[in-house]
Amino acid sequence: MEATWFAELNPEQREAVRHPGGPLLILAGAGTGKTTTLSARVAWLVGRGVAPERILLLTFTRRAAREMLQRTRAMVAMPAGRRGVLGGTFHSVAHHFVRRHAGALGLPDGFGVLDAGDAADLLDLLREEHGHAQRERRFPKKSTLLDAYSRTVNAQRPLSEVVAEAFPWCEEHCEDMAALFKAYTARKRALGVVDLDDLLLFWRALAADEVVGPQLESKFDHVLIDEYQDVNGLQADIVRCLRRECREVTAVGDDFQAIYGWRAASSRHILEFPDHFPDTTVVALERNYRSAQPILDAANAVSAQAQRAFRKQLHAERDGGARPELIFLRDESAQAGEVCERVLEARERGMDLRAQAVLMRTSHDSALLEIELARRQIPFVKYGGLRYLEAAHVKDLIALFRLADNLADEISWFRVLQLLEGVGPATARRALDVLVTADGEPLDAWPDARERLPVDARALADGLIEALRDARLKTATPGVRAERLSRSLAPLIAAHYPDGALRLHDLEQLVAAAREASALGHFVSELIIDPPASSSDLAGPPHLDEDYLVLSTIHSAKGLEWQAVHVLALYDGNIPACMSAGSTETIDEERRLLYVAMTRARRQLHLYVPVRYYHRPNGIDDAHGYGKASRFLTDEVQRCCDIVRPLEPEYRMGAATPARRIEVSVDALFE
C-alpha cells in the first residue's frame, strides 16, 4: 500500500516522510509539496503502527487541517475502531483542552469565547470607565489597545518593549495601558469569558503545569506542526512544553514565507528550531511544482538578499514559462489601464479570468483598478477586506446566540440594544444596568429595563426578549433556536442598515450552519475560533458572471496560486511600507511579502512600478510625488525580468489644417 503513494514522492520528500525518529524540520520552499509531504508523514507513521489518536497535527486554518487529514486517509486505511488523528488549528485544539480542564483554570464549564470585535468593545467599555475617553490628550482607541494587548500576550514580551517598538506614540500612556489590561483580564474572569489569546495562554499554562503537563505530553507519540514560520512566542512555548521529554516533533515551514509579524509571529522561531530541539534533522524541499523557472529565478534573487535565513534555491519541475515583466508606469491610473489590457489579452488567448490574480499590499491599493475594471465590465471578486465575522450584522446575530446561553453577557446586551430605534450607548447602558443588577434572571427584570427605552423601540424589543425566552428552552434543536432568534432580529437588521435586505442572506447562511451543530454555544465558540473568510465558506461557491478576476491582498493570497499574477504598486514607501522601514526585522518581512507575491504565479508574472503617486487621491488638487522602484527590485532581480516602459498615449487632434500663416502677437497689450 505504501509503495503506491510513496513512489510519487521525490527523494527529499521521501527522506522527510521516512525520518526514523527525533526532531525533524522540513524546510518547504514555495510550491514544493509541503501539504503532500506532511500528509504522507502522518500516513507513514500510521502505517508503521502508531495509533492515529496519538498523533497531534497543528495547523493555522481549519481548511488546511481538513485537507491534510483527507489526504492521509486516502494514503492509508485508518485502523477500525480508532478515533483518528487529532488535527486542527492551535486555537481549536487549545479550546478542546481548556474545556476539559476549565475547573482547574478557574473558568466556568460553559465559558464563552470573545472574538476580536467583542474584545475591542470590552476594552472600549473599560477605557470609558477608567476616564480615558474624557482626556484632553489623545489616548489609544480600542483597536490600538487590543493590538498592543494581543501582541504582548502572544509575543510573550513586556508591554513596554512592545509599545516602544510598535506603538511609540503610546509610550507616555504605558502605565495607564497596563492598568487597563489588568482590569480587562479581571472583567473577563468576572463575565466568565475568554478571548482568543486566552485560549493559547491557558493551554500553555496546562502544558507547563507539573501535574497536567506530563499528562498532556503522554497523550501524543508524535506532534506535527504546519507553517511553523507563522508561530508566535506563545505557540512556540506550547510546542516545547508538549515535547519536554518525548523528542518526536516535526515542524514544516519556510522562513521566507513568514509575513505575519503584525500578529506577533516571528521567523526567528523556525530559525531557532534546531537550537530549541538539539540534534534536529533538517530536510530542504527545493523542487518547485508550481512556477516556471524564469519566475523562480527572480524570486530566488529576492530571497538571496536576506542576511539571516535558511538558504534555498527553488528549481522548477515544469518546463517553459515567460520571463517576468517589470513595468514602469506614469502613475496608478496608468497602472490600472495596463493591468486591464494584459488581463483581457490573456483572456483572449484562452486564460480564464479566474486563473489570473491581482495582488496588492493593502486593500486600498486597488481602488483605481476597481473603477477601471467596472468601466470595462470585467467582473472581479476581492479578498482581504472585511472578513465574514467582522461584518456588523453577523456580529449582531452572534450576540443574540450568546445571550441565549448566557444572559449575563453584558457585551452582547450592549450591542443588541443599540440596534433599536433611538437607542444609543447611554440609553443602552441605562437599560443594561437594570438587567445585569437584577437579583433573579435578567429577563425577569425586562419590564423595568423596557421603561428606559424610547416608546417607539419597545415593540421590537419585546420581540427580541420573547425570542430569547424561547431559545433558552433547551428542548429545541440548535437549528430551531437559531432560526427563531434570526427571525426576531430580521426587522432590526432591515431597518438599521441601508442594505439590510441584502444582509439577511448572510444570516440565513449562519442559521443553516447552526443546524449542523450539537449545541448553539459550542457552535458560536467554534465559529469564532475557526472563522470563515466569507459567507461563501458557509454557502458554497459564489454565483457570479461566467468568469471573474481575483483581487487579493498578498497576506490573503498566501498558500494560493494562479496562472498569471499581477503585483501592484512596487515602489519604496509601499513595499516596503514607510511604517515598516524602521528596523531590520520589519524590512526583512516586507521583502518576504514580495517573495510570497511572486511565488503565487505559475506561468506569468507582471510587476508594476508607478513612479508618480498622489498624496490626496480624492482631492481636487494635484498633490503628488515621485518615487523609485522598491529597494527589493535590485539589479540582480531586474536582470531576471523584461523591463517594459509603456509609451504615453498620443493625443491626435484630427486632420491637419491647410498650410497658412497664423499671426501671434502680444504687442497690443503694451500700447
Side-chain angles (χ1 to χ4, degrees), residues 17 35 44 57 61 63 167 251 255 330 338 363-364 380 387 447 470 495 502 548 556 560 587 610:
V17 167
T35 301
W44 184 79
L57 174 62
T61 67
R63 183 171 294 175
F167 312 94
D255 55 300
R330 180 185 69 254
E338 285 295 323
S363 186
H364 65 260
F380 64 89
R387 297 180 68 83
D470 291 347
L502 294 175
Y548 52 87
S556 295
L560 303 176
I587 287 289

Side-chain angles (χ1 to χ4, degrees), residues 32-46:
T32 57
K34 167 184 67 68
T35 301
T36 296
T37 305
L38 193 56
S39 302
R41 177 145 179 82
V42 175
W44 184 79
L45 290 171
V46 173

Side-chain angles (χ1 to χ4, degrees), residues 327-471:
I327 306 157
F328 291 87
L329 302 128
R330 180 185 69 254
D331 55 22
E332 292 183 343
S333 178
Q335 173 183 258
E338 285 295 323
V339 171
C340 289
E341 292 289 344
R342 282 168 167 74
V343 165
L344 290 174
E345 182 183 351
R347 180 177 178 271
E348 290 304 312
R349 293 199 307 266
M351 185 184 294
D352 290 342
L353 292 177
R354 58 176 166 263
Q356 308 178 57
V358 180
L359 305 184
M360 66 220 74
R361 190 187 186 284
T362 58
S363 186
H364 65 260
D365 286 335
S366 65
L368 289 178
L369 174 61
E370 291 174 45
I371 295 172
E372 186 67 10
L373 290 170
R375 189 182 72 80
R376 299 193 188 208
Q377 297 184 331
I378 302 174
F380 64 89
V381 292
K382 186 173 182 179
Y383 300 98
L386 189 68
R387 297 180 68 83
Y388 183 62
L389 291 190
E390 294 168 359
H393 58 296
V394 175
K395 292 176 68 64
D396 296 336
L397 183 54
I398 289 176
L400 264 188
F401 287 174
R402 282 196 174 118
L403 287 173
D405 269 5
N406 179 14
L407 288 172
D409 188 338
E410 292 184 39
I411 304 168
S412 294
W413 274 120
F414 198 61
R415 182 178 195 91
V416 170
L417 288 172
Q418 290 185 72
L419 291 173
L420 297 166
E421 183 70 27
V423 177
T427 304
R429 183 75 255 178
R430 287 195 296 270
L432 184 55
D433 287 342
V434 175
L435 294 171
V436 299
T437 58
D439 292 334
E441 186 176 272
L443 294 185
D444 294 337
W446 174 247
D448 292 335
R450 184 180 188 272
E451 294 302 314
R452 304 198 176 195
L453 300 177
V455 174
D456 294 342
R458 293 174 185 176
L460 285 176
D462 289 339
L464 285 177
I465 296 302
E466 286 306 309
L468 277 173
R469 290 188 195 277
D470 291 347

Side-chain angles (χ1 to χ4, degrees), residues 137-457:
R137 295 169 65 92
R138 70 168 178 161
F139 188 79
K141 288 204 163 185
K142 62 180 183 179
S143 57
T144 303
L145 290 170
L146 181 62
D147 196 2
Y149 172 84
S150 187
R151 288 197 192 202
T152 301
V153 172
N154 284 291
Q156 289 292 282
R157 295 171 57 198
L159 175 64
S160 57
E161 288 184 12
V162 173
V163 169
E165 180 181 291
F167 312 94
W169 69 269
C170 298
E171 283 191 90
E172 65 177 291
H173 303 299
C174 205
E175 286 188 17
D176 288 334
M177 290 169 68
L180 195 62
F181 293 155
K182 290 176 182 177
Y184 171 63
T185 301
R187 184 65 62 88
K188 284 185 294 181
R189 287 282 183 152
L191 295 174
V193 297
V194 300
D195 61 25
L196 294 173
D197 300 325
D198 289 332
L199 290 175
L200 298 181
L201 202 61
F202 289 142
W203 187 15
R204 200 271 302 271
L206 291 171
D209 185 76
E210 293 181 359
V211 176
V212 180
Q215 295 175 7
L216 292 183
E217 182 175 10
S218 66
K219 288 180 179 293
F220 304 107
D221 294 330
H222 290 268
V223 175
L224 300 93
I225 310 101
D226 185 27
E227 304 283 13
Y228 200 81
Q229 78 278 353
D230 293 335
V231 301
N232 57 44
L234 196 49
Q235 290 162 333
D237 281 352
I238 290 170
V239 173
R240 289 197 290 271
C241 287
L242 288 174
R243 299 287 87 177
R244 284 183 291 189
E245 299 297 330
C246 179
R247 289 169 42 78
E248 302 307 324
V249 55
T250 297
V252 181
D254 179 8
D255 55 300
F256 225 84
Q257 295 188 70
I259 58 173
Y260 294 113
W262 48 273
R263 65 185 190 197
S266 173
S267 62
R268 70 181 177 84
H269 298 302
I270 191 170
L271 293 171
E272 294 172 359
F273 186 90
D275 299 328
H276 294 150
F277 297 97
D279 301 321
T280 291
T281 298
V282 179
V283 178
L285 306 182
E286 298 176 313
R287 302 186 191 213
N288 181 283
Y289 297 91
R290 175 189 299 155
S291 305
Q293 191 60 51
I295 293 172
L296 296 181
D297 289 340
N300 287 334
V302 171
S303 67
Q305 301 167 24
Q307 297 298 310
R308 189 184 182 208
F310 289 117
R311 295 298 171 194
K312 294 177 292 295
Q313 279 288 114
L314 298 182
H315 308 285
E317 291 293 301
R318 296 184 178 187
D319 296 330
R323 279 165 58 89
E325 283 190 327
L326 180 56
I327 306 157
F328 291 87
L329 302 128
R330 180 185 69 254
D331 55 22
E332 292 183 343
S333 178
Q335 173 183 258
E338 285 295 323
V339 171
C340 289
E341 292 289 344
R342 282 168 167 74
V343 165
L344 290 174
E345 182 183 351
R347 180 177 178 271
E348 290 304 312
R349 293 199 307 266
M351 185 184 294
D352 290 342
L353 292 177
R354 58 176 166 263
Q356 308 178 57
V358 180
L359 305 184
M360 66 220 74
R361 190 187 186 284
T362 58
S363 186
H364 65 260
D365 286 335
S366 65
L368 289 178
L369 174 61
E370 291 174 45
I371 295 172
E372 186 67 10
L373 290 170
R375 189 182 72 80
R376 299 193 188 208
Q377 297 184 331
I378 302 174
F380 64 89
V381 292
K382 186 173 182 179
Y383 300 98
L386 189 68
R387 297 180 68 83
Y388 183 62
L389 291 190
E390 294 168 359
H393 58 296
V394 175
K395 292 176 68 64
D396 296 336
L397 183 54
I398 289 176
L400 264 188
F401 287 174
R402 282 196 174 118
L403 287 173
D405 269 5
N406 179 14
L407 288 172
D409 188 338
E410 292 184 39
I411 304 168
S412 294
W413 274 120
F414 198 61
R415 182 178 195 91
V416 170
L417 288 172
Q418 290 185 72
L419 291 173
L420 297 166
E421 183 70 27
V423 177
T427 304
R429 183 75 255 178
R430 287 195 296 270
L432 184 55
D433 287 342
V434 175
L435 294 171
V436 299
T437 58
D439 292 334
E441 186 176 272
L443 294 185
D444 294 337
W446 174 247
D448 292 335
R450 184 180 188 272
E451 294 302 314
R452 304 198 176 195
L453 300 177
V455 174
D456 294 342

Side-chain angles (χ1 to χ4, degrees), residues 38 56-66 68 87-93 224-227 235 530:
L38 193 56
L56 175 61
L57 174 62
L58 294 170
T59 64
F60 277 84
T61 67
R62 59 180 176 177
R63 183 171 294 175
R66 187 166 58 244
M68 287 187 190
T89 65
F90 271 91
H91 288 99
S92 64
V93 175
L224 300 93
I225 310 101
D226 185 27
E227 304 283 13
Q235 290 162 333
D530 288 316

